[in-house]
Amino acid sequence: MKKIISYPFSILYVILLVLLLVIFQPIQWICLNVFGYQAHKVSVDILNFFLQKSAYSIFSSYAIEGREKIPNNVPLIFVSNHQSLFDIMAIIWFLRKYHPKFISKIELGKGIPSVSYNLKYGGNVLIDRKDPKQALPVIKGLGEYIEKHTRSAVIFPEGTRSRNGEPKTFAESGLKILCKYAPNAYIVPITINNSWKMLQYGKFPMGLGTKIKLTVHEPLAVKDYPFNEIFEKTRETIVRDIKN
């Protein structure tokens, strides 16, 4: 019954999402090409604010706790579990102060209004999962970028989304490269809960009444730990707080 009830609200929600993405495509272009990076970033922040608020149409919401733990004026590596694309809009909005840059699969770099444009021109990096040699230098470049500009990188070590909230195996390689080339960074573990429920019926209709929550855990200074230890501490911290 809940799935049936979800259909009309899901139609409204999808219409809102599509309208926002289409409207903000030219806005992003103008902001970047006329006014530069900072204006473009503001346009992306505003877009993701509205993308989040549109979730009210399906009686869903986003929340974050522990944001006060994040250190200022240092490079940051946000490491999180990954449950759906809705994770990304939450991270962009809630962590906007830290200029989060994503490591994303190359397929998302084309064909999606606003999303693809930001991934290509907003300082994010696109990797080809079928070509590990291509991924290494671009992740290295992101590490050097956040080290130089005191900004942040976002990495999902699971590599792909969990369809039921259960954590997948965490891969080391991407995070290891970021740590190597951003030695002054702090790793900030984040646990995301419930965003998979937005897609619990598949791509459509949407799940109703989802309460997506991001929990920020204690940061870990990269220089204070051997990589194997900091990786395991990060993984354990994230996984321990996942609730299905």
Side-chain angles (χ1 to χ4, degrees):
M1 178 60 71
K2 189 174 182 180
K3 181 177 179 180
I4 294 173
I5 294 172
S6 175
Y7 275 96
F9 296 103
S10 297
I11 291 170
L12 173 61
Y13 178 62
V14 171
I15 290 172
L16 289 173
L17 289 184
V18 172
L19 282 175
L20 285 167
L21 294 177
V22 170
I23 290 170
F24 272 86
Q25 172 82 15
I27 291 174
Q28 283 192 64
W29 188 93
I30 292 169
C31 287
L32 181 61
N33 290 279
V34 178
F35 301 105
Y37 169 83
Q38 190 59 44
H40 176 245
K41 180 191 178 303
V42 171
S43 72
V44 172
D45 292 344
I46 294 172
L47 166 61
N48 283 276
F49 168 79
F50 284 117
L51 288 174
Q52 281 194 83
K53 295 304 180 184
S54 64
Y56 287 139
S57 64
I58 51 173
F59 311 104
S60 298
S61 62
Y62 297 80
I64 188 170
E65 70 173 27
R67 193 164 34 181
E68 70 282 354
K69 299 174 183 175
I70 303 173
N72 295 309
N73 303 315
V74 293
L76 299 169
I77 303 171
F78 294 112
V79 184
S80 175
N81 61 313
H82 193 22
Q83 297 188 347
S84 77
L85 290 174
F86 302 101
D87 302 340
I88 296 172
M89 62 180 71
I91 289 172
I92 291 175
W93 174 248
F94 286 129
L95 304 178
R96 61 194 181 279
K97 173 182 177 181
Y98 306 100
H99 297 246
K101 307 303 177 188
F102 291 82
I103 299 172
S104 179
K105 60 183 181 180
I106 198 168
E107 291 84 356
L108 295 178
K110 57 183 178 181
I112 308 173
S114 286
V115 174
S116 296
Y117 189 86
N118 180 49
L119 287 174
K120 288 179 69 175
Y121 301 110
N124 307 282
V125 297
L126 298 170
I127 62 172
D128 185 350
R129 292 178 180 173
K130 299 176 182 178
D131 184 6
K133 291 182 179 179
Q134 177 269 344
L136 297 179
V138 296
I139 297 175
K140 172 189 172 184
L142 180 59
E144 293 171 337
Y145 172 86
I146 65 170
E147 178 79 8
K148 178 180 179 180
H149 297 283
T150 317
R151 291 177 178 162
S152 68
V154 180
I155 186 168
F156 301 114
E158 292 166 294
T160 188
R161 292 167 281 164
S162 170
R163 303 294 182 177
N164 59 6
E166 290 292 332
K168 297 189 173 187
T169 301
F170 279 40
E172 295 184 4
S173 55
L175 181 57
K176 191 171 187 177
I177 295 170
L178 288 176
C179 289
K180 180 178 180 179
Y181 291 99
N184 293 306
Y186 280 71
I187 289 179
V188 183
I190 297 176
T191 301
I192 298 176
N193 277 300
N194 297 329
S195 76
W196 69 272
K197 294 178 182 178
M198 294 278 274
L199 299 172
Q200 61 186 285
Y201 304 123
K203 293 183 179 180
F204 197 85
M206 313 301 298
L208 296 181
T210 303
K211 308 299 181 185
I212 298 173
K213 183 179 179 183
L214 282 67
T215 302
V216 178
H217 303 287
E218 290 293 337
L220 302 166
V222 168
K223 60 186 177 184
D224 288 349
Y225 302 89
F227 177 75
N228 289 343
E229 184 178 350
I230 201 170
F231 177 82
E232 192 57 29
K233 280 179 175 289
T234 301
R235 188 196 66 79
E236 288 179 355
T237 299
I238 294 169
V239 171
R240 185 170 58 240
D241 203 46
I242 294 175
K243 302 176 179 66
N244 291 327

